[in-house]
Amino acid sequence: MTTFLRVDLPYPRRYSRRAWYRPAASVTGLQAKVDLTSSLSPLASCLGIFMIHGIKGVKDILPEESRRWQAIEAAARRTATLFGFQEIRVPIFEVTELFARSIGATTDIVEKEMYTFQDRDGSSLTLRPEATAGVVRAYIEHSLSGQPTSQKLFYVGPMFRHERPQAGRLRQFHQFGVESFSSTSPYADVEVMSLLWRFLTGLGLTGLTLELNSLGEASDRPGYRRVLVEYLKAKEGLLCGNCRRRMESNPLRVLDCKVPECRTATADAPKLTDHLSPFAQDHFRQVTEGLTDLGIPFSLNPRLVRGLDYYTLTTFEVTTGNLGAQNAVGAGGRYDGLVKTLGGSDTPAVGFAVGLERVALLLPEQALQAQNPLVFIAAFGSTSTKIGARILDGLRAAGVRAESDLRGASLKSQLRHADRLGASTVVILGEDEVAQGAAVLRNMTTKEQQTVPLDRVVEALSK
Ligand code: HAM
């Protein structure tokens, strides 16, 4: 017996109410959508409520855009490898405490942006909002400090932050990042910044600024913090609620606040760079000299404190004027205390991450490599289709990009399809041609045609 389920939806009066009764078994998931759409096409507008939409701020990367992404990811891997970095793949979720302890409990990311959920055993897990914490955890857990080939690591993958979505700001976004362990040398800082700069400029991005600052050693902070809090207290009435709250818990973040009133109020705030130890001053000087030697332009920004608490000494951000409010393309810095904080030995480190959605928005069309020409096999009739399948396979084995129509359409429709796909040549396998042991090769640009023996088609097209 078929069970019927009544589905009450808002519907235009002119359509019959009977149309809304469907077998219950089919009113689940995709099947329900297909059944209802096919039988109730005049009501398609009402059916919108059956559609499952993607989540706000979480984007599909459609075939149209994926070439752009492939170009960016290939450049990321190529550049990182050129600089001696090896790929690491860490999980997209970790125990929540990892992020709270590394990024900082009073940062925006940890306070309001993490996707945290309870696992079945009651433990708290979080989708990674960034990858540095996970890479450091893996570095400690797998004793990578003892492996000379594992000191320079890179990654490409999705990150998750519950931010207000807008152009260039998503809730699932992708980063290419690098982490360089074990060296305190300013040249390690220069190396990762130069990698970042070469990656972005190599893709043809223009109008970029590398902003640079030093946050000093951890021991420089308490003295500066005292001076800064005193200064901020005098300005308290002029600051936004967030900054007033942060004034005691994380006063450096007040300098990074984007609210115009806060920026004006703190325009003459004491600078951390005036409170650096001789070691930090010397480190910073060597970093700036190293960048100058390599011809990498930078500008000093004493307010650049970054939104993550693990940084020490060098911090940097590459910004652009071409992205509106979300102007940071990539950012990073040194984090000499993090490995120890997470239970490892005292290991210095420096790294960065680039937001790939932002790179994709800025990528000039010329950066996309032209694809290899496409050959399309248009066969009709069962013998021709069988021969077509063999030629198709032969072309692909010879490294030629080849495609065919598997729907048994007419020649006219197959030629139209080949044209839409941008095929440069169509191999026409009609029954008459095949009976004569030949195929017609049609040049889709000049429309010229030539007849070629079947056993020479692959050879003729792979030249
Ligand atoms: P971050 O500044 O939080 O640093 O993120 C780096 C980059 O990721 C940003 O400059 C931006 O391009 C991109 N990004 C961040 N949030 C979003 C978002 N919601 N939508 C789109 N893109 C976004 C870090 O993540 C550190 N782990 C970098 C690092 C590595 N420091 C040392 N090593």
Side-chain angles (χ1 to χ4, degrees):
M1 195 183 81
T2 309
T3 313
F4 284 82
L5 173 77
R6 181 177 152 173
V7 185
D8 279 319
L9 300 173
Y11 66 98
R13 270 187 198 289
R14 62 200 161 101
Y15 298 120
S16 151
R17 186 174 261 272
R18 279 163 63 91
W20 292 107
Y21 289 80
R22 308 300 309 158
S26 71
V27 188
T28 52
L30 187 63
Q31 188 60 41
K33 198 187 133 199
V34 171
D35 284 349
L36 290 169
T37 309
S38 59
S39 58
L40 300 175
S41 51
L43 298 175
S45 60
C46 295
L47 289 174
I49 65 167
F50 273 112
M51 279 267 302
I52 296 176
H53 291 274
I55 301 162
K56 195 174 169 199
V58 175
K59 243 183 96 202
D60 298 306
I61 296 171
L62 300 176
E64 276 284 283
E65 300 158 86
S66 57
R67 267 182 73 215
R68 195 164 269 270
W69 280 82
Q70 284 160 8
I72 294 169
E73 288 171 1
R77 292 199 157 84
R78 199 172 48 241
T79 318
T81 308
L82 272 178
F83 277 71
F85 285 74
Q86 308 230 37
E87 185 170 5
I88 183 164
R89 298 186 185 207
V90 289
I92 61 163
F93 60 107
E94 302 265 4
V95 295
T96 304
E97 196 194 341
L98 173 69
F99 302 113
R101 259 167 67 185
S102 53
I103 297 169
T106 59
T107 57
D108 278 352
I109 296 179
V110 172
E111 275 186 346
K112 351 184 232 210
E113 294 170 3
M114 295 206 304
Y115 283 97
T116 296
F117 58 96
Q118 204 177 51
D119 202 2
R120 285 165 194 267
D121 65 0
S123 52
S124 178
L125 303 179
T126 292
L127 296 184
R128 63 182 186 193
E130 57 110 53
T132 309
V135 171
V136 171
R137 185 216 25 86
Y139 182 84
I140 299 166
E141 194 169 332
H142 302 288
S143 308
L144 298 186
S145 59
Q147 299 179 23
T149 52
S150 299
Q151 300 313 302
K152 291 170 42 172
L153 307 170
F154 80 89
Y155 49 86
V156 180
M159 311 292 155
F160 307 85
R161 295 185 195 174
H162 192 277
E163 293 196 81
R164 197 165 44 78
Q166 61 183 92
R169 187 164 71 188
L170 290 126
R171 290 181 175 171
Q172 176 176 330
F173 60 99
H174 298 77
Q175 285 185 343
F176 155 49
V178 310
E179 313 296 350
S180 171
F181 293 97
S182 300
S183 173
T184 49
S185 165
Y187 290 104
D189 309 39
V190 172
E191 183 176 61
V192 297
M193 279 186 271
S194 123
L195 196 171
L196 173 59
W197 193 252
R198 302 291 171 226
F199 164 66
L200 296 171
T201 54
L203 280 170
L205 269 56
T206 53
L208 303 172
T209 307
L210 171 62
E211 298 183 23
L212 191 64
N213 192 22
S214 175
L215 296 181
E217 295 178 275
S219 54
D220 298 338
R221 290 294 161 79
Y224 173 67
R225 206 188 128 102
R226 263 194 307 279
V227 177
L228 182 63
V229 172
E230 211 167 289
Y231 168 88
L232 293 174
K233 275 189 178 150
K235 307 271 180 178
E236 191 169 352
L238 303 169
L239 302 177
C240 71
N242 214 10
C243 285
R244 281 206 295 275
R245 198 171 51 80
R246 286 264 163 81
M247 230 168 59
E248 294 285 353
S249 62
N250 202 346
L252 262 72
R253 294 287 296 143
V254 176
L255 298 180
D256 203 32
C257 178
K258 301 285 181 287
V259 174
E261 289 75 17
C262 295
R263 292 197 85 83
T264 315
T266 59
D268 60 348
K271 293 184 179 124
L272 182 45
T273 34
D274 293 336
H275 293 257
L276 299 183
S277 64
F279 171 81
Q281 279 177 33
D282 193 46
H283 187 94
F284 195 46
R285 181 186 53 75
Q286 292 189 61
V287 169
T288 54
E289 283 175 7
L291 288 171
T292 308
D293 275 352
L294 298 187
I296 298 173
F298 60 90
S299 70
L300 298 180
N301 177 0
R303 298 176 75 103
L304 183 67
V305 298
R306 311 273 300 115
L308 306 99
D309 281 354
Y310 48 62
Y311 292 112
T312 51
L313 298 168
T314 316
T315 55
F316 56 90
E317 199 159 273
V318 173
T319 55
T320 170
N322 303 329
L323 272 184
Q326 301 311 311
N327 66 348
V329 183
R334 186 165 270 286
Y335 50 96
D336 289 345
L338 185 58
V339 179
K340 197 166 179 200
T341 303
L342 292 179
S345 56
D346 208 352
T347 308
V350 56
F352 71 75
V354 190
L356 298 187
E357 277 73 10
R358 298 183 188 177
V359 175
L361 286 170
L362 296 168
L363 193 73
E365 211 49 40
Q366 310 87 277
L368 300 180
Q369 270 198 346
Q371 284 189 312
N372 288 337
L374 174 73
V375 174
F376 189 92
I377 313 290
F380 37 98
S382 58
T383 315
S384 308
T385 303
K386 206 182 250 180
I387 291 171
R390 246 181 264 143
I391 294 177
L392 190 65
D393 191 54
L395 285 168
R396 288 168 177 169
V400 178
R401 200 159 66 94
E403 185 56 288
S404 73
D405 188 317
L406 303 175
R407 297 167 305 172
S410 67
L411 173 62
K412 198 171 157 201
S413 146
Q414 291 197 45
L415 286 176
R416 208 180 311 127
H417 188 44
D419 200 38
R420 283 203 197 113
L421 293 178
S424 57
T425 309
V426 177
V427 179
I428 301 172
L429 292 166
E431 278 173 350
D432 293 348
E433 286 90 1
V434 168
Q436 290 163 24
V440 173
L441 306 193
R442 179 180 169 86
N443 182 314
M444 293 297 278
T445 316
T446 62
K447 309 293 180 218
E448 278 168 17
Q449 301 198 156
Q450 67 175 118
T451 304
V452 175
L454 285 175
D455 58 357
R456 304 282 303 277
V457 172
V458 172
E459 189 194 335
L461 291 170
S462 44
K463 272 187 195 146

